[in-house]
Amino acid sequence: MPDIELKNVSKQYGSTPVIRDISLKIDAGEFAVLVGPSGSGKSTLLRMIAGLEEISGGTCSIDGRVVNQLPPKKRGVAMVFQNYALYPHMTVFDNLAFALKIQGFGKAEIAERVSEIAGIVELEDYLQRKPAQLSGGQRQRVAMARAMVRNTGLFLLDEPLSNLDAKLRTQMRVEIRKLHDRLEATSIYVTHDQTEAMTLADKIVVLNEGRIEQVGTPDELYENPRTRFVAGFLGSPSMNFLPGSMAGLDGDVIVGVRPEKLRLQRRSDDDLNIQARLELIEYLGSSALLYCSASDVEIVVEIQGDGKPRPKPGCAIDLFTDSDSLHRYPK
């Protein structure tokens, strides 16, 4: 299980900066997720670690060795791409065995390793099929297995689930995390989906315009987002942002409050009270989202399905929260 360290890493295309002075340590055995919107630099950073993109400045070290000048095949990484990148004319077995053949492994060892990995990802019955005969989830498992069979201990995954439907993405998230734990590998996973980041990661790295906004565990980033960008990016539904004056604070401050931290009942005389109008209710089974408006600001409230009567759209309602639930950011 190698560790990875980036020191003052930058990347430019001509005069255009894409990665801006990033320093980051990923410990051996960690599952780190690089998350951010399109264009934030997350895939570029992953490709620099893999050796598929040159580093314009700074150093990338894998297991204590600077690898800036090493080609991808000498970095000891296995990569899983968004588009699977399978050989369409080869069977599943041959797709898994190809890298081992190139490395000079014998037929018996190749057969043993392919069989072992195919068992882990439940592909034993599909080894003689070609990619076109597989479902999207099966092709994704082949791509994962092809990386695993190399047994490098370092996996780089570039938005591997973005081509799958919602139900299959949920299933594959669980499988990927279980595979990481079983292999005791170091994994770096790129996604724009904050749900994937929150459910998969030991460590989340939030990127924005080529810079790191914040690094931490999912709990740390959700409970204590340091910037308004992180606060708004992580969480579904997103954090509400209100003018400070609505919370009795300075007007030059933006106040953030999570939808689940807002209530319809007062609990304390010190509760913050926001008078709003209920516009729409979205029922989600065990919970519901209330879309409200107050002074031209949209506010989303998440309430649990506790059986109590709910207000009707179009009526005036009072929203309550306590001061400990508020996050303050510069305007």
Side-chain angles (χ1 to χ4, degrees):
M1 291 187 296
D3 60 11
I4 298 171
E5 186 168 12
L6 306 177
K7 291 184 178 179
N8 306 112
V9 167
S10 63
K11 175 67 178 179
Q12 293 183 194
Y13 293 116
S15 61
T16 304
V18 180
I19 299 295
R20 307 166 189 256
D21 193 31
I22 283 181
S23 293
L24 174 67
K25 177 70 180 295
I26 298 171
D27 295 327
E30 271 192 320
F31 198 121
V33 176
L34 310 181
V35 65
S38 178
S40 61
K42 53 191 184 295
S43 288
T44 299
L45 191 61
L46 191 78
R47 291 171 64 85
M48 291 163 70
I49 294 170
L52 300 175
E53 294 274 0
E54 290 186 1
I55 296 175
S56 301
T59 60
C60 172
S61 299
I62 298 178
D63 220 14
R65 179 179 62 161
V66 175
V67 297
N68 288 41
Q69 304 305 320
L70 289 183
K73 65 181 181 181
K74 293 188 177 180
R75 296 195 182 195
V77 303
M79 195 158 182
V80 181
F81 296 93
Q82 176 181 347
N83 62 357
Y84 315 138
L86 303 178
Y87 298 112
H89 62 288
M90 293 184 181
T91 64
V92 170
F93 180 94
D94 289 333
N95 265 279
L96 302 187
F98 184 75
L100 299 179
K101 292 177 181 177
I102 295 297
Q103 294 174 8
F105 287 90
K107 288 185 178 180
E109 186 171 1
I110 289 174
E112 181 180 350
R113 290 180 65 170
V114 168
S115 177
E116 178 187 3
I117 298 302
I120 291 174
V121 298
E122 300 179 1
L123 287 171
E124 309 102 307
D125 296 334
Y126 303 94
L127 289 175
Q128 298 309 314
R129 295 191 187 183
K130 292 184 177 179
Q133 299 171 301
L134 304 176
S135 68
Q138 289 165 345
R139 288 196 294 270
Q140 186 58 71
R141 289 206 298 272
V142 175
M144 290 288 299
R146 188 177 57 184
M148 292 164 56
V149 78
R150 295 179 57 198
N151 196 27
T152 64
L154 174 56
F155 295 98
L156 308 180
L157 303 98
D158 190 4
E159 303 210 46
L161 306 184
S162 60
N163 291 334
L164 306 181
D165 62 48
K167 181 178 180 180
L168 195 51
R169 281 202 305 270
T170 300
Q171 177 186 336
M172 288 301 299
R173 281 203 307 265
V174 174
E175 291 188 19
I176 287 174
R177 181 67 217 205
K178 286 166 63 177
L179 288 172
H180 166 86
D181 293 339
R182 179 169 180 172
L183 296 172
E184 298 181 337
T186 304
S187 300
I188 306 177
Y189 186 104
V190 162
T191 183
H192 64 276
D193 186 329
Q194 58 90 20
T195 301
E196 287 183 13
M198 296 293 287
T199 54
L200 281 171
D202 299 317
K203 173 185 288 180
I204 294 178
V205 182
V206 182
L207 294 171
N208 182 30
E209 296 182 346
R211 295 186 176 92
I212 292 178
E213 289 271 343
Q214 190 172 348
V215 179
T217 66
D219 284 348
E220 289 170 348
L221 269 61
Y222 189 80
E223 298 295 339
N224 298 294
R226 293 178 189 165
T227 68
R228 182 176 173 180
F229 177 85
V230 175
F233 192 80
L234 294 179
S236 181
S238 297
M239 181 180 286
N240 297 294
F241 294 107
L242 318 173
S245 56
M246 289 182 67
L249 302 173
D250 188 288
D252 289 333
V253 172
I254 294 293
V255 175
V257 58
R258 296 282 184 196
E260 70 272 17
K261 296 295 185 180
L262 290 164
R263 310 183 301 272
L264 301 181
Q265 296 83 32
R266 183 187 293 275
R267 293 182 183 172
S268 165
D269 291 339
D270 296 327
D271 277 356
L272 169 67
N273 175 214
I274 302 172
Q275 295 179 334
R277 175 185 173 87
L278 178 59
E279 305 290 351
L280 177 70
I281 298 179
E282 184 178 6
Y283 293 98
L284 302 176
S286 62
S287 64
L289 299 179
L290 278 56
Y291 293 87
C292 310
S293 60
S295 301
D296 296 323
V297 176
E298 182 180 273
I299 302 173
V300 181
V301 183
E302 183 175 4
I303 61 173
Q304 298 305 308
D306 52 12
K308 295 180 180 178
R310 293 169 178 168
K312 300 296 183 182
C315 71
I317 61 173
D318 286 305
L319 306 177
F320 301 94
T321 190
D322 56 80
S323 58
D324 290 343
S325 297
L326 302 181
H327 302 266
R328 297 165 178 82
Y329 303 103
K331 192 170 183 178

